[in-house]
Amino acid sequence: MLTKFESKSNRVKGIAFHPRLTLLAASLHSGSIQLWNFQMGVLVDRFEEHDGPVRGISFHSTQPLFCSGGDDYKIKVWNYKTRRCLFTLHGHLDYVRSVYFHHEHPWILSASDDQTIRIWNWQSRQCIAILTGHNHYIMCAQFHPKEDYVVSASMDQTVRVWDISGLRKKNTTAQPLSFEEQIQRANSGQADLFGNTDAVVKYVLEGHDRGVNWATFHPTLPLLVSCGDDRQIKLWRMSETKAWEVDTCRGHFNNVSVALFHPKHELIISDSEDKTIRVWDMSKRTAVQTFRRENDRFWVLTAHPELNLFAAGHDSGLIVFKLDRERPAFSLHGNTLFYVRDKYVRAHDLTTGFDAGVISVRRLGSQYVQPRTLSYNPAERAVIVTSPADNGLYELVHLPKDMGSGEVRDSASEGKRGTGSSAIFVARNRFAVLDKNTQTLEIRDLDNSITKSIKCPVQTNDVFYGGTASVLLATPTSVVLFDIQQQKVLAELATPVVKYVVWSNDGAMVALLSKHTIMIANKNLGQSAMVHETIRIKSGAWDDSGIFVYTTLNHIKYALPQGDNGIIKTLDQPVYLTRVKGKVVHCLDRNAKPQAIPIDPTEYRFKLALMRKNYDEVLHIIRTSNLVGQSIIAYLQKKGFPEIALHFVQDKTTRFDLAIECGNLDVALEMAKALDREDNWARLGQQALKQGNHKIVEIAYQRTKNFDRLSFLYLVTGNPDKLAKMAKIAEMRGDQMSKFHNALYLGNVEARVNVLREVGLYPLAYMTAKSNGLAELAEEVLASAGLQEEDIAGLLPPVQASSLRPPAVVNATFDQNWPSVGVTESFFDRALAAAASGESTGIEYTQAEEDGEDLDEWGANDGIAIDGTAAAAEAEDAWDLAPDADEEAGAEEEKADAVEEDLGAALVPGIPETELWVRNSPLAADHVAAGSFETAMSLLNRQVGAVNFAPLKPLFLSIYRSSRLYLPGAPSLPPIEIPLRRNTDHAEPRSVLPVATLTLASITSGELRAAYTAFQKAKFAEAASTFRSILHSLLLVITTTPAQAAELQELVVVCREYLIGLSLEMERRRLSEDPSTLKRQLELAAYFTHCRLQPAHLSLALRLAMITFTKAKNYNMGASFAQRLLDLSPAAPIATQAKNTLALANKNPRDTIEIEYDLHSQFDICPSSLTPIYQGAPSVDDPFTGAKYHAQFAGSLCAVSGVTEPKEVKDIKAFIDLCKRNDATEVNIKESRIASSKIEEKAPRKGKKVDPNPTKVKFKLRCSRYLYTLVLTNPKRAAELRNALPHTIKIRDASLDKKKKRKVRRRKHQRDQK
């Protein structure tokens, strides 16, 4: 059995597959209905309107509907798209056991404990038939998939088959009816429900000794299967006149819940309360396979109507599984595909489409187990087919010479058989067989004789072809390249468990396919790239150009050699790639039928040409293909080629952004005029100012009406005429400040004095006129102020003549742009411009040189061009066409000038350091330091679920300011900004990171100590504020070692516990003024003692609870707190007080007030309601602090941090973070890329070169049949965490791993000694 999906929930009583979508509905004993996407493994929705268990559920075949029936006697019809219940059908008088939609008519069939079967019309919402006859509970009723029959199973030990053809004739017609006829027909069926012939009993099948739990029809044959509490499964056959028992299958040890037919094979599948799922052979009536669970009884079983999938519900959830693999075994050689279908080896010509069977392998293994692999030897025209049956079998068979003759040989007579889990050809006349039990690799010849037996150097699970005389050995944690002749390990590559290996056509590259990852490496296992997918990877094949094309469950994708990937095509059903040729993908579907799917390879060829710097092909693709889309534009921007995207993007806003990024001001100006938005003009002005194109700056300032900057621009470019116009504009606008500036820029003293007089600044006006020698104007100013010179004679110091005027314009530069920063024209700009004018690009090559030389120089320094120039000069001399010496001299001078212009070309600015910080780090603190607040908030939201960022604003601003040093410059210039780095020893751009301004040492030595002091002094509000401030700071603390990360997690738990405790005590003190709330006060005091505080602080809480309970005459409970206080070894006076309380409780062992508090049960405290959450109660967790909340507080703001919101843990990384905050000291995760929080990093082996700037990190991995293993040092937390546990994780006690760790260390020591 191959498990595809597993969920954990309450007991599942009903289950149904959607016929078309990847949806699975599960009805639970708790009363809720879960809607799962079993392909992605996520919970899509939850429906909760039933009161009590929901036992039946069914999807409609075409409409977005499903129906459910439960113990509340109701049948509800739901729309899963609108996520609501459409209506409820009432009529049953007891539990509804099963509900089913009809495959054609608008009917719902329901079976109930009220001993009736009802058929409902869900369109008219009326009951159209009631089937009576059973005299006990009816456990299930189902429609026949094709005929007008209904089968029912009852606890009265009978199975009944009902004929409903009369009901179909009555409720359907060939022509539309009038409204009156519809009413008449609807009413006619209600008058004779118990006497009509709409539904009659056709057969009554008796044979079970106890109640029958399930009965169902065969999809095509006239057969039924039933099962019951007598632990038997009975097979029945029907004819037109009678039905009889064929045989009985025995083997279950408890009640059999469900039995059904396999849709495609002659098998019966059953599940039982004996915790097993069994597969039975219909012809032999014997059990073929048995699958057992340890602790869960099975209650329901269903089959997918289209796919080879089954689902079973048990006590703790559900499981989706297959009975066998659907991946066909195949091998490709040239244009011929050899594959296995229906246990026949077939040959398919990919060019002509000819397909023929060549070998029968029907006797290889079990008839229901398909072959696993096929290896082809073209030299000897032989194949090896392996099967997983009987712990591994293989057969070596030679193919017929004429495969088109129609001759089909039997491998049992023609071939040679052996045992082994894997078998592949490794040479012309040799093949290797892996014996998994003995861990040996047997090298055999074509006579199946062993020529060499090699002990595997590592624990090997599978073996793959690794080149001539070499194999790839797959271990649980790596792949080893092993040379068979030399018997030594050539290379090793750490990778997740490898399932398939695909070699490129030339054998230079190999793709190692795991469940969710693809490792692309060269033939020596030098890792090139790793691709990670969230859903299962099914197959892959190499393109002729070196692109790896692979398929997932629903996509055909590609992967470039350096790791970039993308989507090529969406699939309805998974396929298995065999070859990629041009624009066609050849594949096999799940039925092992060859297909050819057309694809568009333009996107990945474009990216490959860009990666290889094959710019001619890039230009060709741009000109000839319709390559558009936001993803390709984003890719080009990411790779630093915005100028390429600019040439085929039509969206004006995107063209403007790209033009600004690559510095193409002409296109940016054109787009800004078309868009005409103020923010675009402002960005254009800034970019143009950087390049010194002041004419575009002038246009931008004019469009944005930025008059002050425009005036200053005219001043620095020496344009007094336009400055005078700006002065007139300022006067018309009435802007006094602008008038003063323009007068100052023009050197017009009279205008400055008049402006100062108009605004009432007479002293400044007088001094300005006086200092510039304008005595008459100065007297006018005094007269305007009502003064004379005698009045101010002794008040003013002597005025010296001076003139504040701008210097005279020496060279007016407003006619030409400044030669400051220019943009170098790229190859693509020149090539596309040349193509537009009909010229040649001037460069012809297929692939750029690796050293990255300038393309123009490479083309100009071609040796062939030099020889051609010499030949042309000789011809000119022979015909007297050579130029004069003067002309040659002039040409040399022009050439020298051109060289000087090239040498004086402008420099391109580099990437700002803050942008490097954002690129290099996934940490929110580094993004805040760079000033990228939006990305920082996005990271915090994704990593810890932060939603309220207002409390973090001061921290953001503080970190931003602290990461820079400002060096004062000249008085008229802004200070120089110097970014501060934390890794000063790394100068490479990809390693640059900002300084860490917040550290754990500063927080623990300062704020944490102050918070403890405030708590000790009972300053609860101040302490709560300080602890919450520490929590906010911890969001932006950067850790560099596992010890620091553990200390940070521990500090988060400390702050959480203290904040919850402070909330309890502040609430208790608030209620202490009201005597009627004494019960609540006692509860809060008791809860306070369960917060994990420092021993000194916990003793305070226990003393407070002891005194409070003693005053309330709850002596028994007070004694429990006194005993806990004595366990802390307090001071002598406190111990005496506790002993007195114990003595008082011994005299009066009673509690006056009963409170909601269980001393002996473990619980968490909800910070919002300040009430306990006991184990097993529904709850949600805060992803940052780990605080538990009642389920109704999901989506509300966290009362502890004030920043995040509690929610259900669905994301695997969020769950791991939660586990780390709940006493998990070691978390091993299968992951290759840096996650949001760095997990324990694997140390490199001795002698291995370490990349100083790794882009990938390998983590310790411990996996068995699970993806992840969490090792918890506190096994008491396992029960709590298991409620939020994703199905792929297994929690176990740390003590279980001690022996394994000792074994690993011993083996490693022995290997080092060897």
Side-chain angles (χ1 to χ4, degrees), residues 329-346:
F330 66 88
S331 179
L332 181 70
H333 175 68
N335 292 326
T336 304
L337 173 67
F338 298 94
Y339 66 99
V340 180
R341 184 172 73 198
D342 298 331
K343 304 205 77 171
Y344 281 88
V345 177
R346 306 181 67 88

Side-chain angles (χ1 to χ4, degrees), residues 1271 1290-1301:
V1271 183
K1290 180 180 180 182
I1291 291 184
R1292 52 200 172 107
D1293 194 344
S1295 61
L1296 300 177
D1297 282 338
K1298 291 181 180 178
K1299 294 182 179 180
K1300 289 187 177 180
K1301 289 181 179 178

Side-chain angles (χ1 to χ4, degrees), residues 1045-1245:
E1047 184 182 356
L1048 186 145
Q1049 297 292 344
E1050 182 181 356
L1051 195 54
V1052 170
V1053 174
V1054 168
C1055 294
R1056 178 192 72 201
E1057 296 297 321
Y1058 272 89
L1059 283 169
I1060 294 175
L1062 290 167
S1063 301
L1064 291 166
E1065 180 58 18
M1066 288 190 289
E1067 177 67 11
R1068 190 194 67 81
R1069 296 202 175 199
R1070 187 184 67 81
L1071 297 175
S1072 60
E1073 301 175 358
D1074 187 0
S1076 62
T1077 61
L1078 182 57
K1079 176 184 175 183
R1080 178 63 174 161
Q1081 295 177 38
L1082 294 175
E1083 292 172 351
L1084 293 172
Y1087 300 156
F1088 191 15
T1089 63
H1090 284 264
C1091 295
R1092 287 184 280 176
L1093 310 178
Q1094 297 291 330
H1097 299 158
L1098 182 59
S1099 65
L1100 293 174
L1102 290 170
R1103 287 176 61 192
L1104 179 65
M1106 179 183 70
I1107 295 171
T1108 304
F1109 275 78
T1110 304
K1111 288 182 179 179
K1113 299 182 180 180
N1114 277 33
Y1115 302 117
N1116 200 16
M1117 194 65 69
S1120 66
F1121 298 124
Q1123 185 60 51
R1124 290 175 58 192
L1125 183 59
L1126 289 174
D1127 293 340
L1128 295 177
S1129 303
I1134 301 174
T1136 303
Q1137 185 181 9
K1139 292 176 181 177
N1140 293 337
T1141 303
L1142 286 173
L1144 184 61
N1146 291 332
K1147 296 179 182 178
N1148 301 303
R1150 61 186 180 88
D1151 290 330
T1152 305
I1153 302 174
E1154 185 177 351
I1155 64 173
E1156 296 180 6
Y1157 171 67
D1158 188 353
L1159 175 64
H1160 304 290
S1161 297
Q1162 292 186 355
F1163 60 85
D1164 292 284
I1165 301 167
C1166 173
S1168 291
S1169 62
L1170 300 181
T1171 56
I1173 305 174
Y1174 292 98
Q1175 286 187 359
S1179 63
V1180 294
D1181 300 285
D1182 179 56
F1184 172 42
T1185 62
K1188 280 186 174 293
Y1189 289 81
H1190 289 292
Q1192 63 264 29
F1193 294 104
S1196 61
L1197 199 62
C1198 177
V1200 177
S1201 67
V1203 173
T1204 56
E1205 65 178 16
K1207 57 185 177 180
E1208 292 187 30
V1209 180
K1210 297 179 182 178
D1211 182 61
I1212 185 68
K1213 292 179 182 176
F1215 177 79
I1216 288 172
D1217 290 340
L1218 174 64
C1219 293
K1220 289 177 68 181
R1221 285 190 290 272
N1222 286 276
D1223 302 339
T1225 58
E1226 183 181 354
V1227 179
N1228 295 332
I1229 168 176
K1230 181 175 70 174
E1231 179 71 354
S1232 61
R1233 296 188 183 277
I1234 297 177
S1236 57
S1237 58
K1238 193 172 182 181
I1239 318 295
E1240 189 174 355
E1241 187 174 345
K1242 183 178 179 182
R1245 298 193 306 274

Side-chain angles (χ1 to χ4, degrees), residues 581-804:
K581 192 74 173 177
K583 296 184 178 182
V584 177
V585 166
H586 297 277
C587 60
L588 293 169
D589 61 12
R590 279 183 160 171
N591 295 321
K593 294 181 179 179
Q595 293 184 4
I597 302 176
I599 62 170
D600 184 6
T602 305
E603 181 178 332
Y604 68 72
R605 287 183 178 175
F606 175 81
K607 291 182 179 180
L608 182 66
L610 205 60
M611 183 192 73
R612 293 177 174 174
K613 300 180 181 179
N614 192 347
Y615 296 128
D616 275 350
E617 186 175 351
V618 171
L619 284 173
H620 176 72
I621 294 174
I622 292 175
R623 292 171 183 154
T624 59
S625 302
N626 186 19
L627 194 63
V628 295
Q630 292 298 325
S631 61
I632 195 69
I633 295 170
Y635 178 83
L636 290 170
Q637 286 182 283
K638 178 182 176 182
K639 296 300 180 182
F641 295 100
E643 68 274 11
I644 303 178
L646 187 62
H647 288 292
F648 55 88
V649 173
Q650 301 300 324
D651 181 66
K652 295 179 180 178
T653 303
T654 308
R655 281 180 63 82
F656 177 80
D657 294 336
L658 293 172
I660 290 294
E661 185 173 350
C662 64
N664 194 328
L665 294 181
D666 295 332
V667 176
L669 177 61
E670 181 184 354
M671 293 301 103
K673 289 180 179 179
L675 295 170
D676 199 17
R677 289 203 295 263
E678 186 174 350
D679 57 336
N680 290 343
W681 285 113
R683 291 177 59 195
L684 177 60
Q686 292 176 1
Q687 185 65 26
L689 199 59
K690 288 180 181 178
Q691 297 186 20
N693 195 329
H694 65 81
K695 292 185 178 180
I696 295 181
V697 176
E698 179 183 359
I699 297 172
Y701 287 168
Q702 288 174 355
R703 292 298 183 99
T704 56
K705 297 183 179 179
N706 199 333
F707 297 111
D708 295 337
R709 293 188 177 183
L710 196 57
S711 298
F712 189 77
L713 179 67
Y714 292 148
L715 171 67
V716 296
T717 55
N719 198 338
D721 296 336
K722 290 191 176 180
L723 264 178
K725 292 182 180 180
M726 292 304 299
K728 293 181 181 179
I729 293 173
E731 187 174 356
M732 294 171 62
R733 290 169 49 231
D735 188 346
Q736 302 295 345
M737 184 60 73
S738 182
K739 288 168 60 178
F740 184 81
H741 284 162
N742 285 290
L744 184 63
Y745 297 159
L746 287 168
N748 192 339
V749 181
E750 291 85 354
R752 285 163 51 199
V753 173
N754 291 333
V755 171
L756 294 173
R757 288 173 62 187
E758 290 176 7
V759 298
L761 298 176
Y762 293 104
L764 285 177
Y766 176 79
M767 294 299 294
T768 301
K770 197 73 173 173
S771 61
N772 284 276
L774 303 177
E776 296 180 358
L777 190 56
E779 293 177 0
E780 292 180 7
V781 173
L782 283 176
S784 301
L787 298 173
Q788 295 182 357
E789 290 190 4
E790 293 80 4
D791 299 332
I792 61 172
L795 300 176
L796 296 177
V799 178
Q800 298 179 356
S802 64
S803 177
L804 183 61

